[in-house]
Amino acid sequence: MSRYEIRSLETLGDIETKAVLKASLKAHKELGELKGLALTIPNQNILLATLSLQEAKESSAIENIITTHDDLYQSNYQSQVFSSTSAKEVHNYARALEVGFNTIQESNLLINSNILEIQKIIENNTAGFRTQAGTTLINNETGKVVYTPPQTGEEVLHYMGELERFINDNELSDYDVLVKMALIHHQFESIHPFYDGNGRTGRILNILYLTKTNILSSPILYLSRFINQNKSEYYRLLQEVRDTGSWESWLIYMMQALEETARETSATIRGVIKLMTEYKVVLKKDLPKIYSHELINNLFKHPYTKNEFLVEELNVHRNTASKYLEALVNIGLIEKHKIGKENYYLNKKLYNLLSS
């Protein structure tokens, strides 16, 4: 069992090796391109609605909460309609990410009250920070305890207070901002402040910190995809820092995760832009009377759309919305699917792009 001493992050010393900084430069380059590309889409809600759900799906999968894209897009958080329990948990995650992002936009702070709210939405409970001893991290294959986080409520509050200061006070450290993100994530997971939801909350903090520091303008990075695809390495390196005190491998891993997922997310956004252009051309040519930016936005905000979404977002009568959707089916831009008692209209090309 590991006996890891949680140190204040600003006291770690010279951990930015040449290899770490080289990896950081590559990640900065890809993240800069992603940020610029995302800003070319006038309606950011399109990206937030689809890409944040992708991040939520991947992050939840790390905790073995598995949902299909069909269940995901047929569910809706606002109306509290969910196709499965797993889809509900993924939508809770996406909602927590949205709430955290909105808070940062208002205050540019990421404090413990925000973190508590994020975990509350994810877990749908008000348990708050741990106050009871007994929490350990166990190797699922061997059943052995690999790490024991701080046990008392006082310890948890102390370490979370220190982490809060590190997140918000730029004067504490001059580490590269991406290195800081990786350090914050490791520290949070080592404090393990909650009874449940630590992994997902910690991964939301990654994305929120990137928006807080203006590395990204919105929380659209699929960072959890890399972690999910390299899950055993993720857990191994988290523990390696605790066992050896060496940060280099962990930091390089996180820089590579940022670089690769930024590149993949950029490719997805380019695909969305290309599809939106194609749909605009077809709509203007074949259905000029119903063409509008709002209609295009709806089709790309909801891979599965339905009457209610058009009524609300286009401010049209239900019968008008139905006529629009049937007209779009007739020219092949969407497919009609009856699921239970409801008709859903699938943007198949967008669905395939997001599922690939």
Side-chain angles (χ1 to χ4, degrees), residues 237-302:
L237 291 172
L238 272 173
Q239 189 57 34
E240 184 179 277
V241 175
R242 300 172 188 140
D243 291 339
T244 69
S246 175
W247 287 92
E248 184 178 67
S249 295
W250 165 255
L251 294 175
I252 291 173
Y253 172 90
M254 291 299 283
M255 297 308 106
Q256 290 173 340
L258 288 165
E259 177 191 358
E260 184 173 311
T261 50
R263 188 184 303 117
E264 289 178 353
T265 307
S266 291
T268 299
I269 292 175
R270 289 189 189 95
V272 170
I273 292 171
K274 182 173 181 290
L275 276 179
M276 289 182 75
T277 302
E278 291 176 7
Y279 275 51
K280 286 178 182 179
V281 169
V282 172
L283 259 178
K284 285 181 176 179
K285 174 177 174 290
D286 294 348
L287 296 171
K289 291 184 178 180
I290 73 169
Y291 169 80
S292 70
H293 291 296
E294 291 76 14
L295 179 57
I296 291 289
N297 289 342
N298 178 275
L299 297 178
F300 282 83
K301 183 179 176 183
H302 308 285

Side-chain angles (χ1 to χ4, degrees), residues 79-206:
S79 59
Q80 288 291 292
V81 174
F82 304 104
S83 297
S84 67
T85 301
S86 293
K88 180 179 181 178
E89 293 205 40
V90 173
H91 275 271
N92 285 346
Y93 181 103
R95 174 59 180 164
L97 180 60
E98 179 187 3
V99 167
F101 176 58
N102 289 341
T103 299
I104 286 173
Q105 285 190 303
E106 292 169 4
S107 67
N108 199 37
L109 293 173
L110 183 51
I111 58 179
N112 283 337
S113 60
N114 308 142
I115 296 171
L116 285 161
E117 180 66 16
I118 288 165
Q119 189 269 349
K120 175 184 173 182
I121 296 170
I122 289 173
E123 288 293 325
N124 196 28
N125 66 43
T126 57
F129 289 145
R130 286 187 293 111
T131 58
Q132 302 294 320
T135 296
T136 57
L137 303 188
I138 297 172
N139 184 312
N140 289 331
E141 293 181 1
T142 65
K144 293 182 178 179
V145 174
V146 294
Y147 174 63
T148 301
Q151 291 295 291
T152 69
E154 291 79 7
E155 286 179 298
V156 170
L157 287 174
H158 168 72
Y159 289 123
M160 286 303 295
E162 287 196 336
L163 183 60
E164 180 184 66
R165 286 190 290 275
F166 186 83
I167 290 171
N168 295 285
D169 187 350
N170 294 330
E171 300 301 317
L172 286 179
S173 165
D174 62 357
Y175 292 140
D176 177 88
V177 66
L178 302 186
V179 169
K180 283 186 179 181
M181 186 215 78
L183 293 175
I184 290 164
H185 184 70
H186 189 282
Q187 193 85 328
F188 178 84
E189 297 305 330
S190 294
I191 298 168
H192 210 75
F194 298 110
Y195 295 104
D196 293 297
N198 292 283
R200 283 171 290 167
T201 303
R203 288 186 288 276
I204 283 180
L205 295 185
N206 288 336

